[in-house]
Amino acid sequence: MRLTNAAGILACVVTILGLIMYVSPMTLPSIAPVRASTRAISLVATYPNWNMTNPTITVTKGDTITISLSSDDGSTHQLLIDFDGEYAGGSNCTTVADQCSSNFSPSTPTQIPAFTITSNAGTYKYYCTIHYPNMQGLFIVQNPALPNFTINPSQTSLTVAQDSSGTISITLTSVNGFSGTINLSATISRSGPQASVNPSSVTLTSDGSASSTLTVSTVASTSGYYSTPVSQGSYAINVTASSGSLIHSTSVSLTVGSASSAPPGSSSLPVLPIAGGVIALFAVIGTAIFLRRRKH
Ligand SMILES: [Cu+2]
């Protein structure tokens, strides 16, 4: 009799240890995937719980789910996911909205074949129809994260000499499966340099990226004989990317330095009038010399 008790206790301890080792890697994620995906869920029935703790199962609307079911306690179980919120015990697996497994036992594990989560975001429950109201947990459906995109400049500051130009690359990256056309534009904090993006629209495929080139020109503006240099100093360039209601922008600081090939301000001198003046001066001197030589 004592020997039997000892053997029974030993068997129990071994069984419990085995269960802990078997169930622990199957802990379900408590964080939903950011977007619809294919998910394989394993539930092990050990009365009075699923996976020891009746874990909250969180999925994303649009996910395709398969559920593997096994029993470790010698009993027969049946999983029901109550998507219509009407379950109140009993064998009620005829509702179209709900998902039900066949009965399963240690010798007959089963699986709910792949199905897509079509229910609206919300908190539902899953049950064992045979052991209601034990063996129940929360089944949460979340909305998928919205598609979006990011905009990143290859560098956040740029130095360009007067009468020159510089470029940096602008990278647009799809987030959460975004795909579509993005329009780009560049504005500058005050007049002087010219900023432009080429191409001015890019198309992203889902999870893809594309780039555009921001070009800054500091060439002096000219009007007739006069040219006005771009003022040295700091500017802010804002690059805006929009696609429908999604709008993102990034800023690049621009420093305009002195022209490297000529002293500052030289380009503002009216070159043609000076040249004309010099020619006229030579003409006057030449005429004077000519006239003096004729007198002698
Ligand atoms: Cu059960």
Side-chain angles (χ1 to χ4, degrees), residues 19-20 22-29 40-57 67-73 77 79 104 126 135-137:
L19 276 177
I20 290 167
Y22 183 57
V23 168
S24 54
M26 294 182 179
T27 306
L28 290 159
I41 293 169
S42 291
L43 287 176
V44 180
T46 49
Y47 180 86
N49 295 309
W50 297 94
N51 290 17
M52 311 299 270
T53 60
N54 289 328
T56 295
I57 300 172
I67 304 178
S68 299
L69 296 157
S70 58
S71 168
D72 256 351
D73 59 3
H77 305 271
L79 177 72
F104 61 96
Y126 65 95
M135 297 186 71
Q136 60 168 282

mmCIF file of all heavy atoms in Angstrom, residues 19-20 22-29 40-57 67-73 77 79 104 126 135-137:
data_model
loop_
_atom_site.group_PDB
_atom_site.id
_atom_site.type_symbol
_atom_site.label_atom_id
_atom_site.label_comp_id
_atom_site.label_asym_id
_atom_site.label_seq_id
_atom_site.Cartn_x
_atom_site.Cartn_y
_atom_site.Cartn_z
ATOM 1 N N LEU A 19 4.767 18.262 -17.978
ATOM 2 C CA LEU A 19 3.808 19.228 -18.514
ATOM 3 C C LEU A 19 4.401 20.626 -18.575
ATOM 4 O O LEU A 19 4.251 21.334 -19.563
ATOM 5 C CB LEU A 19 2.551 19.261 -17.625
ATOM 6 C CG LEU A 19 1.506 18.189 -17.920
ATOM 7 C CD1 LEU A 19 0.366 18.316 -16.917
ATOM 8 C CD2 LEU A 19 0.993 18.333 -19.341
ATOM 9 N N ILE A 20 5.104 21.005 -17.474
ATOM 10 C CA ILE A 20 5.701 22.349 -17.442
ATOM 11 C C ILE A 20 6.692 22.505 -18.605
ATOM 12 O O ILE A 20 6.686 23.499 -19.316
ATOM 13 C CB ILE A 20 6.395 22.605 -16.077
ATOM 14 C CG1 ILE A 20 5.321 22.751 -14.987
ATOM 15 C CG2 ILE A 20 7.283 23.838 -16.133
ATOM 16 C CD1 ILE A 20 5.857 22.691 -13.571
ATOM 17 N N TYR A 22 6.714 20.847 -21.336
ATOM 18 C CA TYR A 22 6.033 20.738 -22.624
ATOM 19 C C TYR A 22 5.281 22.014 -22.977
ATOM 20 O O TYR A 22 5.291 22.479 -24.090
ATOM 21 C CB TYR A 22 5.040 19.562 -22.555
ATOM 22 C CG TYR A 22 4.300 19.286 -23.841
ATOM 23 C CD1 TYR A 22 4.988 19.025 -25.015
ATOM 24 C CD2 TYR A 22 2.913 19.289 -23.869
ATOM 25 C CE1 TYR A 22 4.307 18.778 -26.198
ATOM 26 C CE2 TYR A 22 2.222 19.035 -25.035
ATOM 27 C CZ TYR A 22 2.919 18.778 -26.201
ATOM 28 O OH TYR A 22 2.244 18.537 -27.353
ATOM 29 N N VAL A 23 4.678 22.636 -21.945
ATOM 30 C CA VAL A 23 3.797 23.773 -22.202
ATOM 31 C C VAL A 23 4.561 25.086 -22.286
ATOM 32 O O VAL A 23 4.223 25.961 -23.064
ATOM 33 C CB VAL A 23 2.722 23.851 -21.089
ATOM 34 C CG1 VAL A 23 1.974 25.171 -21.135
ATOM 35 C CG2 VAL A 23 1.750 22.681 -21.223
ATOM 36 N N SER A 24 5.653 25.221 -21.502
ATOM 37 C CA SER A 24 6.289 26.528 -21.394
ATOM 38 C C SER A 24 6.724 27.148 -22.727
ATOM 39 O O SER A 24 6.586 28.355 -22.897
ATOM 40 C CB SER A 24 7.461 26.474 -20.423
ATOM 41 O OG SER A 24 8.348 25.446 -20.811
ATOM 42 N N PRO A 25 7.211 26.365 -23.711
ATOM 43 C CA PRO A 25 7.599 27.039 -24.957
ATOM 44 C C PRO A 25 6.412 27.509 -25.778
ATOM 45 O O PRO A 25 6.569 28.187 -26.759
ATOM 46 C CB PRO A 25 8.380 25.958 -25.726
ATOM 47 C CG PRO A 25 8.428 24.764 -24.864
ATOM 48 C CD PRO A 25 7.422 24.938 -23.780
ATOM 49 N N MET A 26 5.208 27.135 -25.359
ATOM 50 C CA MET A 26 4.034 27.471 -26.156
ATOM 51 C C MET A 26 3.343 28.721 -25.646
ATOM 52 O O MET A 26 2.234 29.018 -26.054
ATOM 53 C CB MET A 26 3.051 26.309 -26.126
ATOM 54 C CG MET A 26 3.596 25.083 -26.810
ATOM 55 S SD MET A 26 2.399 23.790 -26.805
ATOM 56 C CE MET A 26 3.300 22.528 -27.678
ATOM 57 N N THR A 27 4.002 29.457 -24.744
ATOM 58 C CA THR A 27 3.401 30.677 -24.230
ATOM 59 C C THR A 27 3.014 31.573 -25.393
ATOM 60 O O THR A 27 3.806 31.820 -26.293
ATOM 61 C CB THR A 27 4.407 31.404 -23.319
ATOM 62 O OG1 THR A 27 4.848 30.491 -22.334
ATOM 63 C CG2 THR A 27 3.760 32.596 -22.665
ATOM 64 N N LEU A 28 1.780 32.044 -25.377
ATOM 65 C CA LEU A 28 1.292 32.837 -26.498
ATOM 66 C C LEU A 28 1.735 34.277 -26.358
ATOM 67 O O LEU A 28 1.843 34.791 -25.252
ATOM 68 C CB LEU A 28 -0.238 32.749 -26.546
ATOM 69 C CG LEU A 28 -0.717 31.360 -26.970
ATOM 70 C CD1 LEU A 28 -2.144 31.146 -26.511
ATOM 71 C CD2 LEU A 28 -0.602 31.192 -28.470
ATOM 72 N N PRO A 29 1.974 34.922 -27.475
ATOM 73 C CA PRO A 29 2.404 36.317 -27.402
ATOM 74 C C PRO A 29 1.283 37.188 -26.875
ATOM 75 O O PRO A 29 0.127 36.983 -27.205
ATOM 76 C CB PRO A 29 2.744 36.665 -28.856
ATOM 77 C CG PRO A 29 1.969 35.691 -29.670
ATOM 78 C CD PRO A 29 1.850 34.447 -28.847
ATOM 79 N N ALA A 40 0.379 30.420 -36.196
ATOM 80 C CA ALA A 40 0.100 29.065 -35.723
ATOM 81 C C ALA A 40 0.022 29.114 -34.204
ATOM 82 O O ALA A 40 0.947 29.575 -33.549
ATOM 83 C CB ALA A 40 1.202 28.113 -36.170
ATOM 84 N N ILE A 41 -1.110 28.708 -33.670
ATOM 85 C CA ILE A 41 -1.316 28.742 -32.221
ATOM 86 C C ILE A 41 -1.461 27.308 -31.724
ATOM 87 O O ILE A 41 -2.124 26.485 -32.364
ATOM 88 C CB ILE A 41 -2.591 29.561 -31.890
ATOM 89 C CG1 ILE A 41 -2.375 31.033 -32.252
ATOM 90 C CG2 ILE A 41 -2.981 29.410 -30.420
ATOM 91 C CD1 ILE A 41 -3.640 31.871 -32.219
ATOM 92 N N SER A 42 -0.799 27.007 -30.599
ATOM 93 C CA SER A 42 -0.929 25.679 -29.996
ATOM 94 C C SER A 42 -1.605 25.797 -28.644
ATOM 95 O O SER A 42 -1.212 26.620 -27.820
ATOM 96 C CB SER A 42 0.453 25.042 -29.796
ATOM 97 O OG SER A 42 1.018 24.719 -31.044
ATOM 98 N N LEU A 43 -2.632 25.009 -28.438
ATOM 99 C CA LEU A 43 -3.280 24.979 -27.133
ATOM 100 C C LEU A 43 -3.233 23.547 -26.611
ATOM 101 O O LEU A 43 -3.583 22.603 -27.327
ATOM 102 C CB LEU A 43 -4.740 25.446 -27.239
ATOM 103 C CG LEU A 43 -4.950 26.953 -27.457
ATOM 104 C CD1 LEU A 43 -6.442 27.257 -27.648
ATOM 105 C CD2 LEU A 43 -4.397 27.758 -26.282
ATOM 106 N N VAL A 44 -2.774 23.443 -25.362
ATOM 107 C CA VAL A 44 -2.735 22.130 -24.709
ATOM 108 C C VAL A 44 -3.762 22.150 -23.583
ATOM 109 O O VAL A 44 -3.705 23.002 -22.691
ATOM 110 C CB VAL A 44 -1.327 21.826 -24.155
ATOM 111 C CG1 VAL A 44 -1.307 20.463 -23.478
ATOM 112 C CG2 VAL A 44 -0.296 21.892 -25.275
ATOM 113 N N ALA A 45 -4.705 21.255 -23.647
ATOM 114 C CA ALA A 45 -5.767 21.208 -22.639
ATOM 115 C C ALA A 45 -5.302 20.409 -21.434
ATOM 116 O O ALA A 45 -4.926 19.248 -21.558
ATOM 117 C CB ALA A 45 -7.022 20.572 -23.247
ATOM 118 N N THR A 46 -5.257 21.084 -20.291
ATOM 119 C CA THR A 46 -4.960 20.411 -19.020
ATOM 120 C C THR A 46 -5.941 20.978 -18.011
ATOM 121 O O THR A 46 -5.713 22.041 -17.453
ATOM 122 C CB THR A 46 -3.511 20.691 -18.561
ATOM 123 O OG1 THR A 46 -3.279 22.101 -18.628
ATOM 124 C CG2 THR A 46 -2.501 19.980 -19.433
ATOM 125 N N TYR A 47 -7.040 20.281 -17.842
ATOM 126 C CA TYR A 47 -8.111 20.758 -16.976
ATOM 127 C C TYR A 47 -7.542 21.241 -15.641
ATOM 128 O O TYR A 47 -6.720 20.539 -15.068
ATOM 129 C CB TYR A 47 -9.140 19.651 -16.731
ATOM 130 C CG TYR A 47 -10.272 20.080 -15.840
ATOM 131 C CD1 TYR A 47 -11.378 20.725 -16.375
ATOM 132 C CD2 TYR A 47 -10.201 19.883 -14.458
ATOM 133 C CE1 TYR A 47 -12.412 21.152 -15.548
ATOM 134 C CE2 TYR A 47 -11.225 20.314 -13.634
ATOM 135 C CZ TYR A 47 -12.332 20.953 -14.177
ATOM 136 O OH TYR A 47 -13.337 21.390 -13.376
ATOM 137 N N PRO A 48 -7.902 22.429 -15.110
ATOM 138 C CA PRO A 48 -8.976 23.314 -15.585
ATOM 139 C C PRO A 48 -8.502 24.469 -16.470
ATOM 140 O O PRO A 48 -9.169 25.497 -16.522
ATOM 141 C CB PRO A 48 -9.531 23.844 -14.272
ATOM 142 C CG PRO A 48 -8.311 23.983 -13.407
ATOM 143 C CD PRO A 48 -7.392 22.856 -13.797
ATOM 144 N N ASN A 49 -7.369 24.294 -17.141
ATOM 145 C CA ASN A 49 -6.846 25.401 -17.939
ATOM 146 C C ASN A 49 -6.420 24.945 -19.334
ATOM 147 O O ASN A 49 -6.206 23.759 -19.588
ATOM 148 C CB ASN A 49 -5.607 26.022 -17.263
ATOM 149 C CG ASN A 49 -5.925 26.678 -15.941
ATOM 150 O OD1 ASN A 49 -6.837 27.487 -15.839
ATOM 151 N ND2 ASN A 49 -5.186 26.299 -14.905
ATOM 152 N N TRP A 50 -6.261 25.937 -20.188
ATOM 153 C CA TRP A 50 -5.551 25.780 -21.447
ATOM 154 C C TRP A 50 -4.140 26.305 -21.218
ATOM 155 O O TRP A 50 -3.978 27.393 -20.666
ATOM 156 C CB TRP A 50 -6.190 26.609 -22.563
ATOM 157 C CG TRP A 50 -7.599 26.247 -22.940
ATOM 158 C CD1 TRP A 50 -8.747 26.808 -22.471
ATOM 159 C CD2 TRP A 50 -7.986 25.251 -23.895
ATOM 160 N NE1 TRP A 50 -9.836 26.219 -23.063
ATOM 161 C CE2 TRP A 50 -9.408 25.262 -23.956
ATOM 162 C CE3 TRP A 50 -7.292 24.349 -24.703
ATOM 163 C CZ2 TRP A 50 -10.136 24.415 -24.790
ATOM 164 C CZ3 TRP A 50 -8.010 23.519 -25.538
ATOM 165 C CH2 TRP A 50 -9.423 23.546 -25.579
ATOM 166 N N ASN A 51 -3.137 25.566 -21.616
ATOM 167 C CA ASN A 51 -1.739 26.015 -21.476
ATOM 168 C C ASN A 51 -1.443 26.489 -20.047
ATOM 169 O O ASN A 51 -0.756 27.489 -19.870
ATOM 170 C CB ASN A 51 -1.414 27.138 -22.478
ATOM 171 C CG ASN A 51 -1.353 26.625 -23.914
ATOM 172 O OD1 ASN A 51 -1.851 25.541 -24.204
ATOM 173 N ND2 ASN A 51 -0.743 27.388 -24.794
ATOM 174 N N MET A 52 -2.009 25.803 -19.069
ATOM 175 C CA MET A 52 -1.789 26.060 -17.648
ATOM 176 C C MET A 52 -2.415 27.359 -17.142
ATOM 177 O O MET A 52 -2.782 27.456 -15.972
ATOM 178 C CB MET A 52 -0.278 26.092 -17.303
ATOM 179 C CG MET A 52 0.519 24.909 -17.836
ATOM 180 S SD MET A 52 -0.051 23.329 -17.183
ATOM 181 C CE MET A 52 0.969 23.205 -15.711
ATOM 182 N N THR A 53 -2.498 28.410 -17.982
ATOM 183 C CA THR A 53 -2.895 29.730 -17.480
ATOM 184 C C THR A 53 -4.086 30.353 -18.214
ATOM 185 O O THR A 53 -4.420 31.506 -17.956
ATOM 186 C CB THR A 53 -1.707 30.713 -17.621
ATOM 187 O OG1 THR A 53 -1.350 30.792 -19.007
ATOM 188 C CG2 THR A 53 -0.498 30.268 -16.812
ATOM 189 N N ASN A 54 -4.720 29.633 -19.122
ATOM 190 C CA ASN A 54 -5.761 30.236 -19.971
ATOM 191 C C ASN A 54 -5.272 31.571 -20.543
ATOM 192 O O ASN A 54 -5.849 32.633 -20.266
ATOM 193 C CB ASN A 54 -7.068 30.460 -19.188
ATOM 194 C CG ASN A 54 -7.775 29.142 -18.880
ATOM 195 O OD1 ASN A 54 -7.694 28.199 -19.669
ATOM 196 N ND2 ASN A 54 -8.456 29.089 -17.748
ATOM 197 N N PRO A 55 -4.192 31.551 -21.324
ATOM 198 C CA PRO A 55 -3.577 32.811 -21.774
ATOM 199 C C PRO A 55 -4.511 33.610 -22.673
ATOM 200 O O PRO A 55 -5.370 33.050 -23.357
ATOM 201 C CB PRO A 55 -2.359 32.335 -22.573
ATOM 202 C CG PRO A 55 -2.749 30.974 -23.064
ATOM 203 C CD PRO A 55 -3.569 30.376 -21.942
ATOM 204 N N THR A 56 -4.339 34.924 -22.620
ATOM 205 C CA THR A 56 -5.041 35.794 -23.564
ATOM 206 C C THR A 56 -4.392 35.619 -24.937
ATOM 207 O O THR A 56 -3.177 35.717 -25.075
ATOM 208 C CB THR A 56 -4.933 37.265 -23.109
ATOM 209 O OG1 THR A 56 -5.636 37.391 -21.879
ATOM 210 C CG2 THR A 56 -5.533 38.213 -24.146
ATOM 211 N N ILE A 57 -5.231 35.324 -25.912
ATOM 212 C CA ILE A 57 -4.731 35.167 -27.281
ATOM 213 C C ILE A 57 -5.050 36.451 -28.031
ATOM 214 O O ILE A 57 -6.198 36.898 -28.044
ATOM 215 C CB ILE A 57 -5.408 33.965 -27.975
ATOM 216 C CG1 ILE A 57 -5.102 32.669 -27.198
ATOM 217 C CG2 ILE A 57 -4.949 33.849 -29.431
ATOM 218 C CD1 ILE A 57 -5.877 31.456 -27.700
ATOM 219 N N ILE A 67 -4.941 26.487 -35.436
ATOM 220 C CA ILE A 67 -4.844 26.163 -34.009
ATOM 221 C C ILE A 67 -4.664 24.660 -33.851
ATOM 222 O O ILE A 67 -5.522 23.873 -34.271
ATOM 223 C CB ILE A 67 -6.092 26.637 -33.231
ATOM 224 C CG1 ILE A 67 -6.308 28.148 -33.443
ATOM 225 C CG2 ILE A 67 -5.937 26.332 -31.740
ATOM 226 C CD1 ILE A 67 -7.545 28.693 -32.747
ATOM 227 N N SER A 68 -3.512 24.287 -33.273
ATOM 228 C CA SER A 68 -3.255 22.875 -32.972
ATOM 229 C C SER A 68 -3.716 22.586 -31.554
ATOM 230 O O SER A 68 -3.457 23.371 -30.640
ATOM 231 C CB SER A 68 -1.759 22.571 -33.087
ATOM 232 O OG SER A 68 -1.328 22.829 -34.401
ATOM 233 N N LEU A 69 -4.417 21.482 -31.383
ATOM 234 C CA LEU A 69 -5.015 21.169 -30.083
ATOM 235 C C LEU A 69 -4.613 19.781 -29.625
ATOM 236 O O LEU A 69 -4.687 18.809 -30.386
ATOM 237 C CB LEU A 69 -6.548 21.240 -30.214
ATOM 238 C CG LEU A 69 -7.079 22.633 -30.558
ATOM 239 C CD1 LEU A 69 -8.447 22.554 -31.210
ATOM 240 C CD2 LEU A 69 -7.113 23.493 -29.303
ATOM 241 N N SER A 70 -4.166 19.723 -28.380
ATOM 242 C CA SER A 70 -3.849 18.413 -27.801
ATOM 243 C C SER A 70 -4.290 18.400 -26.346
ATOM 244 O O SER A 70 -4.537 19.460 -25.744
ATOM 245 C CB SER A 70 -2.353 18.111 -27.920
ATOM 246 O OG SER A 70 -1.598 19.116 -27.283
ATOM 247 N N SER A 71 -4.395 17.217 -25.800
ATOM 248 C CA SER A 71 -4.849 17.046 -24.418
ATOM 249 C C SER A 71 -3.778 16.302 -23.643
ATOM 250 O O SER A 71 -3.170 15.364 -24.161
ATOM 251 C CB SER A 71 -6.163 16.251 -24.405
ATOM 252 O OG SER A 71 -6.460 15.833 -23.088
ATOM 253 N N ASP A 72 -3.524 16.757 -22.417
ATOM 254 C CA ASP A 72 -2.485 16.121 -21.609
ATOM 255 C C ASP A 72 -3.015 15.586 -20.291
ATOM 256 O O ASP A 72 -2.250 15.208 -19.428
ATOM 257 C CB ASP A 72 -1.370 17.140 -21.307
ATOM 258 C CG ASP A 72 -0.153 16.883 -22.166
ATOM 259 O OD1 ASP A 72 -0.115 15.857 -22.848
ATOM 260 O OD2 ASP A 72 0.760 17.720 -22.140
ATOM 261 N N ASP A 73 -4.329 15.619 -20.113
ATOM 262 C CA ASP A 73 -4.861 15.250 -18.801
ATOM 263 C C ASP A 73 -5.767 14.024 -18.851
ATOM 264 O O ASP A 73 -6.486 13.743 -17.896
ATOM 265 C CB ASP A 73 -5.629 16.445 -18.212
ATOM 266 C CG ASP A 73 -6.780 16.891 -19.107
ATOM 267 O OD1 ASP A 73 -7.019 16.230 -20.147
ATOM 268 O OD2 ASP A 73 -7.428 17.884 -18.770
ATOM 269 N N HIS A 77 -11.670 17.081 -24.839
ATOM 270 C CA HIS A 77 -11.986 18.521 -24.822
ATOM 271 C C HIS A 77 -12.455 18.960 -26.207
ATOM 272 O O HIS A 77 -12.256 18.261 -27.205
ATOM 273 C CB HIS A 77 -10.741 19.347 -24.443
ATOM 274 C CG HIS A 77 -10.108 18.950 -23.151
ATOM 275 N ND1 HIS A 77 -10.470 19.484 -21.945
ATOM 276 C CD2 HIS A 77 -9.126 18.041 -22.883
ATOM 277 C CE1 HIS A 77 -9.742 18.948 -20.981
ATOM 278 N NE2 HIS A 77 -8.916 18.050 -21.522
ATOM 279 N N LEU A 79 -12.528 22.860 -28.343
ATOM 280 C CA LEU A 79 -12.318 24.309 -28.316
ATOM 281 C C LEU A 79 -13.422 25.021 -29.090
ATOM 282 O O LEU A 79 -13.797 24.597 -30.193
ATOM 283 C CB LEU A 79 -10.962 24.666 -28.956
ATOM 284 C CG LEU A 79 -10.660 26.171 -29.052
ATOM 285 C CD1 LEU A 79 -10.350 26.742 -27.669
ATOM 286 C CD2 LEU A 79 -9.520 26.437 -30.025
ATOM 287 N N PHE A 104 -11.220 16.297 -28.958
ATOM 288 C CA PHE A 104 -9.879 15.714 -29.000
ATOM 289 C C PHE A 104 -9.492 15.190 -27.632
ATOM 290 O O PHE A 104 -9.998 15.641 -26.604
ATOM 291 C CB PHE A 104 -8.846 16.719 -29.526
ATOM 292 C CG PHE A 104 -8.720 17.960 -28.682
ATOM 293 C CD1 PHE A 104 -7.726 18.047 -27.724
ATOM 294 C CD2 PHE A 104 -9.595 19.030 -28.860
ATOM 295 C CE1 PHE A 104 -7.606 19.190 -26.943
ATOM 296 C CE2 PHE A 104 -9.471 20.178 -28.073
ATOM 297 C CZ PHE A 104 -8.478 20.255 -27.112
ATOM 298 N N TYR A 126 -12.574 32.356 -25.668
ATOM 299 C CA TYR A 126 -12.516 30.976 -26.137
ATOM 300 C C TYR A 126 -12.822 30.061 -24.963
ATOM 301 O O TYR A 126 -12.561 30.408 -23.801
ATOM 302 C CB TYR A 126 -11.158 30.652 -26.792
ATOM 303 C CG TYR A 126 -9.950 30.700 -25.889
ATOM 304 C CD1 TYR A 126 -9.463 29.535 -25.277
ATOM 305 C CD2 TYR A 126 -9.269 31.891 -25.656
ATOM 306 C CE1 TYR A 126 -8.338 29.565 -24.474
ATOM 307 C CE2 TYR A 126 -8.151 31.931 -24.854
ATOM 308 C CZ TYR A 126 -7.680 30.771 -24.261
ATOM 309 O OH TYR A 126 -6.571 30.813 -23.450
ATOM 310 N N MET A 135 -11.795 26.445 -18.068
ATOM 311 C CA MET A 135 -11.082 26.407 -19.352
ATOM 312 C C MET A 135 -11.599 27.458 -20.329
ATOM 313 O O MET A 135 -12.055 27.148 -21.421
ATOM 314 C CB MET A 135 -11.164 24.997 -19.979
ATOM 315 C CG MET A 135 -10.501 23.942 -19.132
ATOM 316 S SD MET A 135 -10.426 22.326 -19.927
ATOM 317 C CE MET A 135 -9.204 22.624 -21.198
ATOM 318 N N GLN A 136 -11.545 28.728 -19.902
ATOM 319 C CA GLN A 136 -11.884 29.803 -20.830
ATOM 320 C C GLN A 136 -10.878 30.931 -20.716
ATOM 321 O O GLN A 136 -10.268 31.140 -19.669
ATOM 322 C CB GLN A 136 -13.303 30.322 -20.597
ATOM 323 C CG GLN A 136 -13.561 30.889 -19.209
ATOM 324 C CD GLN A 136 -14.876 31.636 -19.151
ATOM 325 O OE1 GLN A 136 -14.968 32.773 -19.611
ATOM 326 N NE2 GLN A 136 -15.896 31.002 -18.578
ATOM 327 N N GLY A 137 -10.693 31.625 -21.818
ATOM 328 C CA GLY A 137 -9.737 32.738 -21.823
ATOM 329 C C GLY A 137 -10.166 33.787 -22.831
ATOM 330 O O GLY A 137 -11.144 33.607 -23.567
#
